[in-house]
Amino acid sequence: MLRSAEVMHLVARRAAEFGVEVDGRTRFRMKAAVARKDDIVRGIHRSIHSALEGRSERIDFLRGEARFLNDHEVDTGDQRLSFENAIVATGARRAVPPIPGLDSIDTLDNRSALLLDEVPESLVVIGGGYVGIEFAQMYARFGSRVTLLGRNEQLAPSEDTELADLLADYLREDGIDVRTGASVTAVRADGTSKVVSAQIADESHDFQAKAVLLAAGRVGNTDRLELASAGVTTGKKGFIEVDEQLRTSQPHIWAIGDVKGGWMFTHVATYDGPIAALNAVKHHGKSTDYRIVPRTVFSDPTLASVGLTEAEARDQGIDVTVGSVPVNGARAKAIGERRGKLKAVVDSTNGEILGFHILAPHGDDLVHEAVAAMQSGGTIDRISKSIHVHPTLSEMVKAAARAAK
Amino acid sequence: MQTYDYDLLVIGAGQGGLPAAHMGANLGARVALIESAKVGGT
Ligand SMILES: Cc1cc2nc3c(=O)[nH]c(=O)nc-3n(C[C@H](O)[C@H](O)[C@H](O)COP(=O)(O)OP(=O)(O)OC[C@H]3O[C@@H](n4cnc5c(N)ncnc54)[C@H](O)[C@@H]3O)c2cc1C
Protein backbone atom coordinates (compact mmCIF):
# COMPACT_ATOMS: atom_id res chain seq x y z
CA MET A 1 0.00 0.00 0.00
CA LEU A 2 2.91 2.33 0.75
CA ARG A 3 4.24 1.51 -2.67
CA SER A 4 0.87 2.46 -4.20
CA ALA A 5 1.09 5.78 -2.36
CA GLU A 6 4.60 6.33 -3.71
CA VAL A 7 3.55 5.60 -7.30
CA MET A 8 0.57 7.92 -6.92
CA HIS A 9 2.80 10.67 -5.55
CA LEU A 10 5.32 10.37 -8.38
CA VAL A 11 2.72 10.26 -11.13
CA ALA A 12 0.34 12.89 -9.77
CA ARG A 13 2.83 15.38 -8.38
CA ARG A 14 6.25 14.85 -9.87
CA ALA A 15 6.06 13.22 -13.30
CA ALA A 16 6.73 16.48 -15.17
CA GLU A 17 10.06 17.01 -13.31
CA PHE A 18 11.31 13.86 -14.99
CA GLY A 19 10.04 14.79 -18.39
CA VAL A 20 6.99 12.57 -18.20
CA GLU A 21 3.78 14.16 -19.38
CA VAL A 22 0.54 12.75 -18.05
CA ASP A 23 -2.59 13.63 -19.99
CA GLY A 24 -5.85 13.89 -18.14
CA ARG A 25 -6.68 13.30 -14.51
CA THR A 26 -4.74 10.94 -12.25
CA ARG A 27 -7.09 8.93 -10.05
CA PHE A 28 -6.27 6.62 -7.19
CA ARG A 29 -8.35 3.42 -7.13
CA MET A 30 -8.37 2.18 -3.56
CA LYS A 31 -10.00 -1.13 -4.52
CA ALA A 32 -7.28 -1.98 -7.04
CA ALA A 33 -4.50 -1.08 -4.60
CA VAL A 34 -6.13 -3.18 -1.87
CA ALA A 35 -6.54 -6.09 -4.29
CA ARG A 36 -2.85 -5.91 -5.12
CA LYS A 37 -1.95 -5.89 -1.42
CA ASP A 38 -4.34 -8.80 -0.70
CA ASP A 39 -2.75 -10.80 -3.48
CA ILE A 40 0.70 -10.34 -1.92
CA VAL A 41 -0.60 -11.25 1.55
CA ARG A 42 -2.36 -14.36 0.16
CA GLY A 43 0.93 -15.52 -1.32
CA ILE A 44 2.63 -15.07 2.05
CA HIS A 45 -0.12 -17.04 3.80
CA ARG A 46 0.16 -19.82 1.24
CA SER A 47 3.88 -20.19 1.79
CA ILE A 48 3.47 -20.16 5.57
CA HIS A 49 0.86 -22.92 5.34
CA SER A 50 2.92 -25.05 3.01
CA ALA A 51 5.96 -24.69 5.28
CA LEU A 52 3.81 -25.89 8.20
CA GLU A 53 2.38 -28.78 6.19
CA GLY A 54 5.93 -29.85 5.40
CA ARG A 55 6.56 -30.19 9.13
CA SER A 56 3.33 -31.95 10.03
CA GLU A 57 5.14 -34.95 11.50
CA ARG A 58 6.54 -32.69 14.23
CA ILE A 59 4.26 -29.64 14.34
CA ASP A 60 0.52 -29.94 14.98
CA PHE A 61 -1.06 -26.76 13.67
CA LEU A 62 -4.27 -26.18 15.59
CA ARG A 63 -7.05 -23.65 15.26
CA GLY A 64 -8.49 -22.04 18.36
CA GLU A 65 -8.01 -19.47 21.06
CA ALA A 66 -5.71 -20.72 23.77
CA ARG A 67 -6.52 -20.08 27.42
CA PHE A 68 -4.43 -21.36 30.31
CA LEU A 69 -6.14 -23.75 32.72
CA ASN A 70 -3.05 -24.21 34.90
CA ASP A 71 0.72 -24.11 34.45
CA HIS A 72 0.77 -27.19 32.17
CA GLU A 73 -2.57 -27.14 30.36
CA VAL A 74 -4.49 -24.95 27.96
CA ASP A 75 -8.03 -25.01 26.65
CA THR A 76 -8.25 -24.32 22.92
CA GLY A 77 -12.00 -23.96 22.71
CA ASP A 78 -12.60 -27.55 21.68
CA GLN A 79 -9.84 -29.47 23.43
CA ARG A 80 -7.59 -29.59 26.42
CA LEU A 81 -3.85 -29.92 25.80
CA SER A 82 -0.97 -30.47 28.15
CA PHE A 83 2.50 -29.12 27.51
CA GLU A 84 5.91 -29.32 29.12
CA ASN A 85 7.02 -25.86 27.94
CA ALA A 86 5.04 -23.03 26.36
CA ILE A 87 5.95 -19.95 24.33
CA VAL A 88 3.46 -17.10 24.35
CA ALA A 89 3.59 -15.25 21.01
CA THR A 90 0.19 -13.58 20.95
CA GLY A 91 1.38 -10.15 19.81
CA ALA A 92 -0.16 -6.76 20.56
CA ARG A 93 -3.12 -4.73 19.36
CA ARG A 94 -3.88 -1.05 19.24
CA ALA A 95 -4.50 0.66 22.56
CA VAL A 96 -7.83 2.41 22.98
CA PRO A 97 -7.12 5.37 25.25
CA PRO A 98 -9.87 6.61 27.57
CA ILE A 99 -10.95 9.49 25.33
CA PRO A 100 -14.53 10.64 25.99
CA GLY A 101 -16.81 9.83 23.04
CA LEU A 102 -14.49 7.28 21.49
CA ASP A 103 -17.07 4.51 21.75
CA SER A 104 -19.73 6.72 20.13
CA ILE A 105 -17.96 6.92 16.74
CA ASP A 106 -16.41 4.39 14.39
CA THR A 107 -12.65 4.76 14.19
CA LEU A 108 -10.34 3.11 11.73
CA ASP A 109 -7.39 0.98 12.75
CA ASN A 110 -4.51 -0.25 10.65
CA ARG A 111 -6.60 -3.17 9.39
CA SER A 112 -9.94 -1.49 8.69
CA ALA A 113 -8.16 1.48 7.10
CA LEU A 114 -6.94 -0.89 4.42
CA LEU A 115 -10.39 -2.39 3.82
CA LEU A 116 -12.03 0.85 2.65
CA ASP A 117 -13.45 0.97 -0.86
CA GLU A 118 -12.97 4.70 -1.17
CA VAL A 119 -10.37 7.11 0.09
CA PRO A 120 -11.96 9.29 2.79
CA GLU A 121 -12.06 12.92 1.72
CA SER A 122 -10.52 13.92 5.05
CA LEU A 123 -8.83 12.02 7.86
CA VAL A 124 -7.63 12.75 11.38
CA VAL A 125 -4.87 10.41 12.55
CA ILE A 126 -4.53 10.19 16.34
CA GLY A 127 -0.98 9.12 17.22
CA GLY A 128 2.40 10.42 16.09
CA GLY A 129 4.29 7.14 16.29
CA TYR A 130 5.49 4.89 13.47
CA VAL A 131 2.03 3.69 12.42
CA GLY A 132 0.42 7.15 12.65
CA ILE A 133 3.13 8.75 10.50
CA GLU A 134 3.02 6.02 7.85
CA PHE A 135 -0.77 6.08 7.54
CA ALA A 136 -0.93 9.89 7.54
CA GLN A 137 1.48 10.17 4.62
CA MET A 138 -0.06 7.24 2.75
CA TYR A 139 -3.60 8.68 2.94
CA ALA A 140 -2.40 12.15 2.06
CA ARG A 141 -0.88 10.67 -1.09
CA PHE A 142 -4.06 8.75 -1.83
CA GLY A 143 -5.80 12.13 -1.82
CA SER A 144 -7.20 12.63 1.70
CA ARG A 145 -6.83 15.90 3.53
CA VAL A 146 -4.94 14.64 6.58
CA THR A 147 -4.41 15.98 10.09
CA LEU A 148 -1.83 14.17 12.22
CA LEU A 149 -2.10 14.62 15.98
CA GLY A 150 0.93 13.57 18.03
CA ARG A 151 0.78 13.62 21.81
CA ASN A 152 4.48 14.38 22.29
CA GLU A 153 6.29 17.50 21.12
CA GLN A 154 8.19 15.26 18.71
CA LEU A 155 6.85 12.77 16.19
CA ALA A 156 8.38 9.29 16.66
CA PRO A 157 9.51 10.38 20.15
CA SER A 158 12.18 7.71 20.59
CA GLU A 159 14.07 8.87 17.49
CA ASP A 160 16.63 11.63 16.96
CA THR A 161 14.89 14.96 17.62
CA GLU A 162 16.42 16.87 14.73
CA LEU A 163 15.50 14.19 12.19
CA ALA A 164 12.00 13.71 13.60
CA ASP A 165 11.40 17.46 13.40
CA LEU A 166 12.71 17.54 9.83
CA LEU A 167 10.33 14.74 8.94
CA ALA A 168 7.45 16.71 10.45
CA ASP A 169 8.42 19.63 8.19
CA TYR A 170 8.44 17.37 5.13
CA LEU A 171 5.01 15.99 6.02
CA ARG A 172 3.77 19.57 6.26
CA GLU A 173 5.30 20.29 2.84
CA ASP A 174 3.26 17.36 1.57
CA GLY A 175 0.12 19.10 2.80
CA ILE A 176 -0.43 17.26 6.08
CA ASP A 177 -1.56 19.36 9.02
CA VAL A 178 0.91 18.06 11.63
CA ARG A 179 0.19 19.05 15.22
CA THR A 180 2.49 17.95 18.01
CA GLY A 181 2.05 18.31 21.76
CA ALA A 182 -1.63 17.63 21.02
CA SER A 183 -3.54 15.80 23.68
CA VAL A 184 -6.90 14.57 22.42
CA THR A 185 -9.65 15.43 24.90
CA ALA A 186 -12.84 14.29 23.15
CA VAL A 187 -14.31 12.94 19.94
CA ARG A 188 -17.86 13.18 18.67
CA ALA A 189 -19.99 12.66 15.59
CA ASP A 190 -21.29 15.67 13.69
CA GLY A 191 -23.65 14.57 10.94
CA THR A 192 -21.60 12.47 8.52
CA SER A 193 -18.38 13.93 9.93
CA LYS A 194 -16.38 13.40 13.07
CA VAL A 195 -14.85 16.02 15.31
CA VAL A 196 -11.68 15.45 17.31
CA SER A 197 -10.94 17.99 20.03
CA ALA A 198 -7.39 18.41 21.22
CA GLN A 199 -5.57 20.56 23.73
CA ILE A 200 -2.51 22.15 22.12
CA ALA A 201 -0.40 24.60 24.13
CA ASP A 202 -3.31 25.36 26.49
CA GLU A 203 -5.73 26.01 23.67
CA SER A 204 -8.54 23.77 22.59
CA HIS A 205 -8.78 22.99 18.86
CA ASP A 206 -11.43 21.09 16.91
CA PHE A 207 -10.50 19.03 13.87
CA GLN A 208 -13.30 17.87 11.60
CA ALA A 209 -12.94 14.95 9.20
CA LYS A 210 -14.86 12.17 7.48
CA ALA A 211 -12.76 9.51 9.16
CA VAL A 212 -10.59 9.08 12.25
CA LEU A 213 -7.72 6.62 12.50
CA LEU A 214 -6.57 5.65 15.96
CA ALA A 215 -2.92 4.66 16.28
CA ALA A 216 -2.13 5.71 19.83
CA GLY A 217 0.11 2.94 21.04
CA ARG A 218 -0.21 -0.80 21.54
CA VAL A 219 -1.22 -3.15 24.36
CA GLY A 220 -0.25 -6.79 24.84
CA ASN A 221 -2.73 -9.50 23.76
CA THR A 222 -2.92 -11.14 27.15
CA ASP A 223 -6.32 -10.26 28.60
CA ARG A 224 -8.03 -13.46 27.39
CA LEU A 225 -5.14 -15.85 28.02
CA GLU A 226 -5.79 -16.28 31.75
CA LEU A 227 -2.08 -16.12 32.41
CA ALA A 228 -2.65 -15.92 36.15
CA SER A 229 -3.86 -19.56 36.12
CA ALA A 230 -0.43 -20.48 34.79
CA GLY A 231 1.44 -18.31 37.27
CA VAL A 232 2.61 -15.81 34.64
CA THR A 233 2.48 -12.18 35.72
CA THR A 234 1.84 -9.27 33.37
CA GLY A 235 3.00 -5.70 33.80
CA LYS A 236 1.98 -2.39 32.28
CA LYS A 237 -0.47 -2.37 29.35
CA GLY A 238 -0.88 -6.13 29.44
CA PHE A 239 2.72 -6.80 28.39
CA ILE A 240 4.48 -9.85 29.82
CA GLU A 241 7.75 -9.17 31.60
CA VAL A 242 10.60 -11.48 30.64
CA ASP A 243 14.25 -11.87 31.60
CA GLU A 244 17.05 -11.75 29.05
CA GLN A 245 16.43 -15.39 28.17
CA LEU A 246 12.77 -14.52 27.39
CA ARG A 247 11.55 -16.43 30.43
CA THR A 248 8.38 -15.20 32.17
CA SER A 249 7.73 -15.31 35.91
CA GLN A 250 6.86 -19.01 35.35
CA PRO A 251 10.20 -20.69 34.50
CA HIS A 252 8.89 -23.10 31.83
CA ILE A 253 6.78 -20.47 30.05
CA TRP A 254 8.40 -17.99 27.67
CA ALA A 255 7.20 -14.87 25.88
CA ILE A 256 8.42 -13.45 22.57
CA GLY A 257 7.70 -10.63 20.14
CA ASP A 258 5.22 -7.81 20.70
CA VAL A 259 3.52 -9.39 23.73
CA LYS A 260 6.60 -8.63 25.84
CA GLY A 261 6.56 -4.89 24.91
CA GLY A 262 9.75 -2.99 24.09
CA TRP A 263 10.69 -2.70 20.41
CA MET A 264 7.69 -4.07 18.52
CA PHE A 265 9.03 -5.15 15.16
CA THR A 266 8.77 -8.22 12.99
CA HIS A 267 12.55 -8.56 13.02
CA VAL A 268 12.54 -8.62 16.84
CA ALA A 269 9.82 -11.30 16.93
CA THR A 270 11.68 -13.46 14.39
CA TYR A 271 14.91 -12.97 16.37
CA ASP A 272 13.19 -13.94 19.64
CA GLY A 273 11.41 -17.05 18.34
CA PRO A 274 14.39 -19.38 17.83
CA ILE A 275 16.09 -18.15 21.03
CA ALA A 276 13.05 -18.97 23.16
CA ALA A 277 12.69 -22.37 21.44
CA LEU A 278 16.38 -23.17 22.10
CA ASN A 279 16.05 -22.17 25.74
CA ALA A 280 12.77 -24.03 26.21
CA VAL A 281 13.70 -27.26 24.46
CA LYS A 282 17.45 -27.49 25.01
CA HIS A 283 17.85 -25.32 28.12
CA HIS A 284 20.47 -23.42 26.23
CA GLY A 285 20.41 -20.35 28.48
CA LYS A 286 20.86 -18.09 25.46
CA SER A 287 20.35 -14.37 26.09
CA THR A 288 18.87 -11.76 23.81
CA ASP A 289 20.87 -8.67 22.87
CA TYR A 290 18.77 -5.73 21.71
CA ARG A 291 21.55 -3.14 21.52
CA ILE A 292 21.69 -3.31 17.74
CA VAL A 293 18.05 -3.44 16.67
CA PRO A 294 17.43 -1.33 13.56
CA ARG A 295 14.13 0.55 13.40
CA THR A 296 12.35 2.16 10.51
CA VAL A 297 9.47 4.52 9.91
CA PHE A 298 8.42 3.79 6.33
CA SER A 299 7.82 7.43 5.52
CA ASP A 300 9.20 9.32 2.53
CA PRO A 301 12.01 10.07 3.13
CA THR A 302 12.47 7.02 5.33
CA LEU A 303 13.50 7.48 8.95
CA ALA A 304 15.77 4.58 9.88
CA SER A 305 18.08 4.21 12.82
CA VAL A 306 20.08 1.91 15.00
CA GLY A 307 21.62 2.27 18.45
CA LEU A 308 21.72 5.34 20.65
CA THR A 309 20.62 8.83 19.69
CA GLU A 310 23.00 11.67 20.42
CA ALA A 311 20.85 12.72 23.40
CA GLU A 312 20.76 9.18 24.83
CA ALA A 313 24.54 8.84 24.51
CA ARG A 314 25.13 12.20 26.23
CA ASP A 315 22.68 11.24 29.00
CA GLN A 316 24.84 8.20 29.64
CA GLY A 317 27.79 10.53 30.14
CA ILE A 318 29.56 9.40 26.97
CA ASP A 319 31.81 11.86 25.16
CA VAL A 320 30.33 11.78 21.65
CA THR A 321 31.26 13.08 18.23
CA VAL A 322 28.40 13.50 15.78
CA GLY A 323 28.98 13.44 12.04
CA SER A 324 26.11 14.89 10.11
CA VAL A 325 25.54 15.41 6.38
CA PRO A 326 22.49 16.46 4.38
CA VAL A 327 21.05 14.21 1.69
CA ASN A 328 23.20 15.12 -1.28
CA GLY A 329 25.50 13.69 -3.88
CA ALA A 330 25.21 12.48 -7.43
CA ARG A 331 22.66 9.73 -6.90
CA ALA A 332 20.31 11.79 -4.72
CA LYS A 333 20.36 14.51 -7.38
CA ALA A 334 19.83 12.03 -10.19
CA ILE A 335 16.74 10.49 -8.61
CA GLY A 336 15.45 13.91 -7.56
CA GLU A 337 15.33 13.15 -3.84
CA ARG A 338 17.00 15.88 -1.83
CA ARG A 339 15.19 15.77 1.49
CA GLY A 340 16.85 14.48 4.64
CA LYS A 341 19.98 14.14 6.71
CA LEU A 342 22.27 11.41 8.06
CA LYS A 343 23.92 11.38 11.47
CA ALA A 344 26.61 9.13 12.88
CA VAL A 345 26.97 9.09 16.68
CA VAL A 346 30.44 7.98 17.70
CA ASP A 347 32.28 7.51 21.01
CA SER A 348 35.02 10.18 20.85
CA THR A 349 37.43 8.18 22.98
CA ASN A 350 37.68 5.08 20.79
CA GLY A 351 35.70 5.65 17.58
CA GLU A 352 33.04 3.05 18.43
CA ILE A 353 29.79 3.57 16.54
CA LEU A 354 27.05 4.14 19.11
CA GLY A 355 24.24 4.95 16.74
CA PHE A 356 23.34 5.86 13.17
CA HIS A 357 20.31 7.90 12.22
CA ILE A 358 19.16 8.28 8.66
CA LEU A 359 16.37 10.36 7.19
CA ALA A 360 16.82 9.70 3.50
CA PRO A 361 15.38 7.94 0.48
CA HIS A 362 15.92 4.19 1.04
CA GLY A 363 17.09 4.86 4.60
CA ASP A 364 15.62 1.46 5.50
CA ASP A 365 18.26 -0.23 3.33
CA LEU A 366 21.09 2.24 4.02
CA VAL A 367 20.98 1.68 7.77
CA HIS A 368 22.24 -1.90 7.44
CA GLU A 369 25.77 -0.80 6.69
CA ALA A 370 25.83 0.72 10.17
CA VAL A 371 24.10 -2.34 11.67
CA ALA A 372 26.79 -4.63 10.27
CA ALA A 373 29.61 -2.27 11.27
CA MET A 374 28.27 -2.05 14.84
CA GLN A 375 28.49 -5.79 15.45
CA SER A 376 31.17 -6.61 18.03
CA GLY A 377 31.83 -2.96 18.83
CA GLY A 378 32.92 -1.87 15.36
CA THR A 379 34.53 1.53 14.89
CA ILE A 380 33.52 4.24 12.45
CA ASP A 381 36.59 3.46 10.32
CA ARG A 382 34.85 0.33 9.09
CA ILE A 383 32.51 2.62 7.16
CA SER A 384 34.64 5.69 6.55
CA LYS A 385 37.57 3.72 5.10
CA SER A 386 35.54 1.34 2.93
CA ILE A 387 35.26 1.95 -0.79
CA HIS A 388 31.70 2.73 -1.83
CA VAL A 389 30.27 2.44 -5.33
CA HIS A 390 29.72 5.72 -7.13
CA PRO A 391 27.04 6.94 -7.68
CA THR A 392 25.01 5.38 -4.86
CA LEU A 393 23.04 6.62 -1.90
CA SER A 394 25.42 4.57 0.27
CA GLU A 395 28.09 7.18 -0.40
CA MET A 396 26.09 9.40 1.97
CA VAL A 397 26.55 6.85 4.76
CA LYS A 398 30.29 7.04 4.20
CA ALA A 399 30.15 10.85 4.15
CA ALA A 400 28.36 10.91 7.53
CA ALA A 401 30.97 8.49 8.91
CA ARG A 402 33.80 10.72 7.67
CA ALA A 403 32.12 13.76 9.20
CA ALA A 404 32.24 12.02 12.59
CA LYS A 405 36.04 11.84 12.64
CA MET B 1 7.76 -39.03 35.23
CA GLN B 2 4.84 -37.02 34.02
CA THR B 3 4.13 -37.04 30.29
CA TYR B 4 2.57 -34.25 28.34
CA ASP B 5 0.75 -34.12 25.00
CA TYR B 6 3.47 -31.78 23.69
CA ASP B 7 7.05 -30.88 24.55
CA LEU B 8 6.42 -27.35 23.34
CA LEU B 9 3.20 -25.39 22.90
CA VAL B 10 3.47 -22.17 20.89
CA ILE B 11 0.51 -19.81 21.23
CA GLY B 12 0.11 -17.50 18.23
CA ALA B 13 1.27 -18.26 14.66
CA GLY B 14 2.51 -14.74 13.95
CA GLN B 15 5.94 -13.36 13.19
CA GLY B 16 7.45 -14.75 16.40
CA GLY B 17 5.42 -17.94 16.91
CA LEU B 18 6.17 -19.39 13.47
CA PRO B 19 9.98 -19.40 13.74
CA ALA B 20 9.71 -20.55 17.36
CA ALA B 21 7.62 -23.57 16.30
CA HIS B 22 9.96 -24.42 13.41
CA MET B 23 13.02 -24.17 15.65
CA GLY B 24 11.33 -26.32 18.30
CA ALA B 25 10.66 -28.97 15.64
CA ASN B 26 14.24 -28.71 14.35
CA LEU B 27 15.44 -29.45 17.86
CA GLY B 28 13.38 -32.62 17.95
CA ALA B 29 10.51 -31.41 20.10
CA ARG B 30 6.92 -32.43 19.53
CA VAL B 31 5.29 -29.07 18.92
CA ALA B 32 1.73 -27.74 18.94
CA LEU B 33 1.19 -24.35 17.31
CA ILE B 34 -2.17 -22.74 17.94
CA GLU B 35 -3.66 -19.77 16.13
CA SER B 36 -7.01 -18.07 16.67
CA ALA B 37 -7.04 -15.91 13.54
CA LYS B 38 -4.82 -15.82 10.45
CA VAL B 39 -1.25 -17.05 10.31
CA GLY B 40 1.34 -14.34 9.94
CA GLY B 41 -0.05 -12.07 12.68
CA THR B 42 -0.54 -8.31 12.58
C1 LIG C 1 0.27 -1.08 10.95
C2 LIG C 1 1.50 -1.80 11.41
C3 LIG C 1 2.63 -1.75 10.61
C4 LIG C 1 3.77 -2.42 11.00
N1 LIG C 1 4.86 -2.33 10.19
C5 LIG C 1 5.97 -2.97 10.55
C6 LIG C 1 7.09 -2.92 9.71
O1 LIG C 1 7.06 -2.30 8.65
N2 LIG C 1 8.22 -3.57 10.09
C7 LIG C 1 8.27 -4.26 11.25
O2 LIG C 1 9.31 -4.84 11.54
N3 LIG C 1 7.22 -4.34 12.07
C8 LIG C 1 6.08 -3.72 11.73
N4 LIG C 1 4.99 -3.79 12.56
C9 LIG C 1 5.09 -4.58 13.80
C10 LIG C 1 4.98 -6.07 13.53
O3 LIG C 1 3.78 -6.33 12.84
C11 LIG C 1 5.00 -6.84 14.85
O4 LIG C 1 6.12 -6.45 15.58
C12 LIG C 1 5.04 -8.35 14.67
O5 LIG C 1 3.93 -8.82 13.97
C13 LIG C 1 5.11 -9.02 16.03
O6 LIG C 1 5.07 -10.41 15.91
P1 LIG C 1 4.40 -11.28 17.05
O7 LIG C 1 4.62 -12.71 16.69
O8 LIG C 1 4.81 -10.81 18.38
O9 LIG C 1 2.84 -10.93 16.93
P2 LIG C 1 1.88 -11.14 15.69
O10 LIG C 1 2.63 -11.25 14.44
O11 LIG C 1 0.84 -10.10 15.83
O12 LIG C 1 1.22 -12.57 15.96
C14 LIG C 1 0.42 -12.85 17.08
C15 LIG C 1 -0.54 -13.95 16.68
O13 LIG C 1 -1.13 -14.52 17.86
C16 LIG C 1 -2.48 -14.83 17.59
N5 LIG C 1 -3.16 -14.94 18.90
C17 LIG C 1 -3.37 -13.95 19.81
N6 LIG C 1 -3.96 -14.44 20.92
C18 LIG C 1 -4.12 -15.78 20.71
C19 LIG C 1 -4.67 -16.85 21.50
N7 LIG C 1 -5.15 -16.65 22.73
N8 LIG C 1 -4.67 -18.10 20.98
C20 LIG C 1 -4.17 -18.31 19.72
N9 LIG C 1 -3.64 -17.35 18.94
C21 LIG C 1 -3.62 -16.10 19.44
C22 LIG C 1 -2.93 -13.69 16.73
O14 LIG C 1 -4.09 -14.03 16.00
C23 LIG C 1 -1.70 -13.47 15.85
O15 LIG C 1 -1.76 -14.22 14.66
C24 LIG C 1 3.81 -3.15 12.20
C25 LIG C 1 2.67 -3.20 13.01
C26 LIG C 1 1.53 -2.54 12.63
C27 LIG C 1 0.31 -2.61 13.50
Side-chain angles (χ1 to χ4, degrees):
Chain A
M1 294 300 290
L2 286 168
R3 178 76 174 144
S4 291
E6 191 176 302
V7 172
M8 180 67 190
H9 177 72
L10 283 173
V11 174
R13 304 260 191 108
R14 300 197 53 193
E17 262 176 66
F18 299 92
V20 177
E21 193 180 303
V22 182
D23 257 340
R25 218 162 80 89
T26 313
R27 270 182 223 87
F28 178 68
R29 297 262 184 246
M30 189 78 178
K31 270 189 178 164
V34 170
R36 176 177 178 275
K37 183 259 308 170
D38 287 345
D39 204 40
I40 297 169
V41 173
R42 253 194 308 278
I44 295 171
H45 285 161
R46 261 199 305 274
S47 60
I48 292 175
H49 280 292
S50 72
L52 284 173
E53 277 153 24
R55 304 305 305 273
S56 58
E57 82 294 354
R58 287 232 156 258
I59 302 177
D60 279 347
F61 179 57
L62 310 168
R63 290 280 176 191
E65 183 173 345
R67 188 166 60 82
F68 285 96
L69 298 169
N70 54 57
D71 61 348
H72 281 286
E73 279 183 297
V74 288
D75 177 284
T76 71
D78 54 13
Q79 54 183 325
R80 206 180 162 107
L81 304 174
S82 63
F83 58 86
E84 185 171 356
N85 299 286
I87 296 177
V88 180
T90 51
R93 63 174 185 279
R94 72 167 181 171
V96 180
I99 301 170
L102 206 51
D103 43 14
S104 70
I105 66 161
D106 284 334
T107 57
L108 297 171
D109 64 14
N110 57 285
R111 276 174 196 271
S112 56
L114 298 181
L115 295 173
L116 299 175
D117 285 343
E118 306 274 341
V119 178
E121 170 198 310
S122 49
L123 174 72
V124 173
V125 176
I126 301 176
Y130 292 32
V131 176
I133 294 170
E134 290 171 8
F135 274 83
Q137 190 172 44
M138 181 165 69
Y139 272 84
R141 290 183 166 188
F142 290 163
S144 291
R145 186 169 49 76
V146 177
T147 305
L148 175 60
L149 302 176
R151 188 162 48 94
N152 296 285
E153 289 302 332
Q154 176 183 331
L155 294 183
S158 52
E159 299 301 335
D160 179 86
T161 302
E162 185 190 4
L163 298 191
D165 289 350
L166 259 181
L167 176 57
D169 290 343
Y170 298 151
L171 295 176
R172 291 188 182 103
E173 279 173 22
D174 285 359
I176 300 171
D177 184 7
V178 179
R179 307 292 182 106
T180 57
S183 127
V184 174
T185 51
V187 296
R188 65 183 159 85
D190 179 12
T192 59
S193 292
K194 284 142 191 155
V195 179
V196 177
S197 307
Q199 195 80 15
I200 305 169
D202 294 332
E203 264 180 56
S204 187
H205 295 259
D206 280 353
F207 301 94
Q208 188 151 14
K210 290 289 176 200
V212 174
L213 188 143
L214 185 64
R218 315 274 297 164
V219 293
N221 279 330
T222 51
D223 42 328
R224 291 153 64 104
L225 276 173
E226 299 189 19
L227 285 164
S229 319
V232 175
T233 53
T234 51
K236 257 188 10 205
K237 299 181 181 170
F239 292 119
I240 302 176
E241 284 164 26
V242 293
D243 65 12
E244 63 273 18
Q245 295 178 22
L246 300 169
R247 205 187 278 269
T248 67
S249 57
Q250 178 62 268
H252 64 278
I253 300 182
W254 316 73
I256 62 173
D258 284 7
V259 76
K260 67 183 201 319
W263 292 122
M264 286 183 258
F265 294 116
T266 292
H267 45 280
V268 170
T270 55
Y271 167 79
D272 286 353
I275 294 178
L278 260 175
N279 290 345
V281 177
K282 292 285 180 201
H283 310 289
H284 234 277
K286 194 172 155 70
S287 291
T288 52
D289 178 358
Y290 298 125
R291 280 171 307 173
I292 312 179
V293 177
R295 13 184 228 274
T296 291
V297 184
F298 287 93
S299 49
D300 172 21
T302 315
L303 180 58
S305 57
V306 58
L308 301 178
T309 62
E310 179 182 354
E312 284 167 343
R314 291 200 200 281
D315 281 349
Q316 291 184 18
I318 305 173
D319 183 10
V320 296
T321 306
V322 178
S324 148
V325 294
V327 165
N328 202 348
R331 185 59 167 267
K333 285 178 188 148
I335 64 174
E337 301 289 347
R338 300 293 300 281
R339 303 196 297 184
K341 191 166 194 168
L342 296 85
K343 292 171 88 167
V345 179
V346 174
D347 186 330
S348 315
T349 56
N350 57 14
E352 187 187 338
I353 309 169
L354 302 171
F356 223 102
H357 305 272
I358 300 177
L359 178 64
H362 300 287
D364 46 336
D365 284 322
L366 297 179
V367 73
H368 290 95
E369 182 172 2
V371 173
M374 282 172 75
Q375 286 298 332
S376 48
T379 66
I380 195 72
D381 288 350
R382 286 197 187 173
I383 299 176
S384 64
K385 293 196 171 154
S386 301
I387 298 175
H388 288 61
V389 172
H390 175 79
T392 59
L393 295 172
S394 292
E395 288 176 296
M396 302 189 302
V397 176
K398 177 170 177 161
R402 286 171 62 102
K405 302 282 286 180
Chain B
M1 212 183 106
Q2 193 166 357
T3 60
Y4 299 101
D5 297 332
Y6 294 98
D7 302 323
L8 181 64
L9 169 72
V10 179
I11 306 175
Q15 302 298 334
L18 287 161
H22 281 285
M23 183 58 140
N26 291 346
L27 297 170
R30 193 163 157 60
V31 180
L33 172 64
I34 177 156
E35 171 58 53
S36 58
K38 277 188 179 156
V39 295
T42 318

